[in-house]
Amino acid sequence: MNKKKYIGIIGGYGLGGRETAKALLDLSNDGILLGGRNLQKAEAVAYGLGPRVLADQVDIGNGRSLERFCRRCRLVINCAGPSRRILDTVALAALNTGIHYLDMGGDDILYGHLLPLHPIICEKGLSFIVSTGMYPGLSGLFPAYTADGYFDRVDSLTAYFVNQGDTLSHTAAYDVIRSMENDYARGMSGYKNGEIIRTGMAPVLVDLPFFKEKIAMYPSFTQELKLLAQSCNIQSIYNYIAPGEAVMKELFSIRANTRHMTEEELKKAVDSLVQASHRDTGGKKKRTLFYLVMEGEFRQTQRKIKSSLFFEGGSSRLMGIVAAAMAHLTLESYSRAGSYFMFDGVCRKEFMGVLSKFGIVPVESMEEQPQMDSGVIF
């Protein structure tokens, strides 16, 4: 009987699952098990990736099928969706079989489901990490890493996130719309002194590195950023995203009706949002930028850091690299036991070191101003 344990990827023949497997082949010597409802599709993708990748049939809606898959694994990564339908289904199967669990999505809803299980997950010595992707994901880890390396105290963070050239899948569009029901991403909001505050409604036009044109950006605040503020003791956070003009108009139109949508209306809204994302793409290059401005103190010196993390390529590739890096570090014991968002669940320095192997490295500039007291520098 074959006792070999694999890194399992559920949703393994989707774009995110495939890219995760590709990145894992570069990072790890482990065997990889691609899972999905359609075994033929999983086998075709596995065959194309080489002999270290195998396929298995798994149905998330069937508890026995899901646990059977998990028993073949050391760690399972959920790349399937929509997250708002799956919720903690895969996580509970991983917990029951005693293996580590990562979820490319999940966000605050999944985090809330797992929080009561945190003591049990810790007791079993397992890592359960939600949102091992771009946003949330890198959006929290990148500023946390910067705070670790450059500051004794962080007073303020202004963060910008731009993802261009990629269209929304129907799964992603579904999750975006459903997330509006519970104010997951609080539009036109920021954070100051422990409180979420309202900001202006109008977009701001921002000059950013790697982009020739000004980018229209909107304030947005998430649970990940609130936890980041509390974990790193950041007094003020303003976060801006660039969803695209057509997508933003569609979201404004959809928001007023989300709480009372029928399933048929939800399906139409998902289709409309996907179509809007196609209009926004307009032949633009596929590229992603995280840009932050952080201010605070280091050794009694006021410091300001501007840092960019830029990736040229499809967002599925970047999300796959992030998920693979998290899986690799979890199995190498660089993650924490318990349930966390990614920024709080892994050694941030080691994580950024893994990203550098794929050419993803911060570009930083720094300004410093020693504190003055009665004309004396100290």
Side-chain angles (χ1 to χ4, degrees):
M1 187 174 179
N2 186 4
K3 299 288 186 180
K4 183 176 181 179
K5 296 285 187 175
Y6 298 88
I7 298 176
I9 303 175
I10 293 178
Y13 51 76
L15 288 176
R18 280 186 245 183
E19 293 296 347
T20 301
K22 289 178 185 176
L24 277 169
L25 289 172
D26 292 331
L27 291 175
S28 168
N29 292 320
D30 283 272
I32 299 166
L33 189 65
L34 299 186
R37 282 182 297 180
N38 189 318
L39 182 57
Q40 284 186 318
K41 287 185 178 179
E43 287 176 334
V45 173
Y47 179 79
L49 292 173
R52 282 174 49 203
V53 185
L54 300 179
D56 194 7
Q57 195 277 338
V58 60
D59 183 354
I60 291 177
N62 182 314
R64 288 184 178 180
S65 170
L66 189 54
E67 289 202 9
R68 181 190 60 79
F69 182 87
C70 288
R71 286 192 192 98
R72 297 187 68 186
C73 303
R74 304 171 63 198
L75 175 152
V76 66
I77 308 168
N78 180 39
C79 296
S83 297
R84 303 272 160 165
R85 283 183 179 159
I86 293 173
L87 296 174
D88 58 0
T89 304
V90 180
L92 292 176
L95 185 60
N96 288 340
T97 52
I99 63 172
H100 301 293
Y101 163 77
L102 310 179
D103 201 303
M104 194 175 274
D107 307 334
D108 58 328
I109 293 292
L110 178 56
Y111 178 79
H113 276 71
L114 295 180
L115 205 53
L117 300 174
H118 179 82
I120 300 172
I121 297 168
C122 285
E123 185 180 329
K124 291 190 173 188
L126 301 175
S127 293
F128 277 41
I129 312 296
V130 305
S131 298
T132 59
M134 292 191 314
Y135 185 97
L138 272 182
S139 51
L141 190 138
F142 178 40
Y145 163 81
T146 305
D148 288 345
Y150 292 100
F151 293 92
D152 296 325
R153 186 193 73 237
V154 179
D155 298 324
S156 67
L157 164 66
T158 304
Y160 304 90
F161 171 69
V162 182
N163 173 236
Q164 280 193 351
D166 279 301
T167 56
L168 285 171
S169 67
H170 281 77
T171 297
Y174 177 93
D175 277 334
V176 168
I177 293 171
R178 289 295 303 273
S179 71
M180 295 164 70
E181 296 172 4
N182 68 327
D183 289 330
Y184 152 66
R186 299 196 182 195
M188 316 310 157
S189 298
Y191 179 90
K192 193 169 185 178
N193 298 325
E195 300 290 335
I196 296 174
I197 58 173
R198 297 292 291 176
T199 61
M201 292 289 289
V204 295
L205 291 175
V206 185
D207 284 310
L208 294 173
F210 304 100
F211 289 85
K212 294 179 180 178
E213 70 279 10
K214 288 181 181 289
I215 307 293
M217 307 198 74
Y218 295 82
S220 180
F221 198 76
T222 64
Q223 173 77 347
E224 178 198 40
L225 292 172
K226 182 179 179 181
L227 293 173
L228 172 69
Q230 294 168 348
S231 178
C232 296
N233 196 26
I234 303 174
Q235 300 304 303
S236 168
I237 296 182
Y238 289 90
N239 180 66
Y240 295 88
I241 61 173
E245 183 179 356
V247 164
M248 202 65 196
K249 285 181 179 179
E250 198 64 39
L251 288 174
F252 276 128
S253 174
I254 292 169
R255 178 175 284 278
N257 303 310
T258 50
R259 296 184 188 276
H260 308 288
M261 275 186 179
T262 65
E263 281 300 312
E264 185 60 30
E265 288 170 335
L266 178 58
K267 183 178 182 300
K268 289 180 179 178
V270 167
D271 289 340
S272 296
L273 192 58
V274 170
Q275 291 166 14
S277 76
H278 280 270
R279 293 196 297 274
D280 278 332
T281 300
K284 294 176 181 175
K285 291 181 180 179
K286 293 183 178 183
R287 49 188 177 167
T288 300
L289 173 68
F290 299 88
Y291 178 66
L292 59 86
V293 180
M294 187 175 284
E295 297 187 57
E297 183 179 294
F298 179 73
R299 296 180 181 176
Q300 298 186 323
T301 297
Q302 288 299 117
R303 172 175 281 184
K304 180 177 182 179
I305 296 283
K306 295 179 180 179
S307 191
S308 304
L309 198 64
F310 181 71
F311 179 79
E312 192 155 14
S315 56
S316 294
R317 174 61 176 164
L318 179 55
M319 288 190 292
I321 290 170
V322 171
M326 189 66 229
H328 172 65
L329 291 173
T330 297
L331 294 176
E332 292 294 316
S333 301
Y334 286 106
S335 63
R336 298 170 67 186
S339 179
Y340 303 97
F341 275 95
M342 191 172 73
F343 79 88
D344 221 11
V346 68
C347 175
R348 299 154 188 165
K349 184 177 180 181
E350 291 290 338
F351 186 92
M352 294 300 290
V354 175
L355 287 195
S356 71
K357 295 178 181 179
F358 295 91
I360 307 169
V361 294
V363 178
E364 303 159 334
S365 65
M366 182 169 59
E367 302 170 14
E368 289 188 325
Q369 178 62 55
Q371 292 184 11
M372 306 290 291
D373 184 19
S374 302
V376 179
I377 300 177
F378 61 91

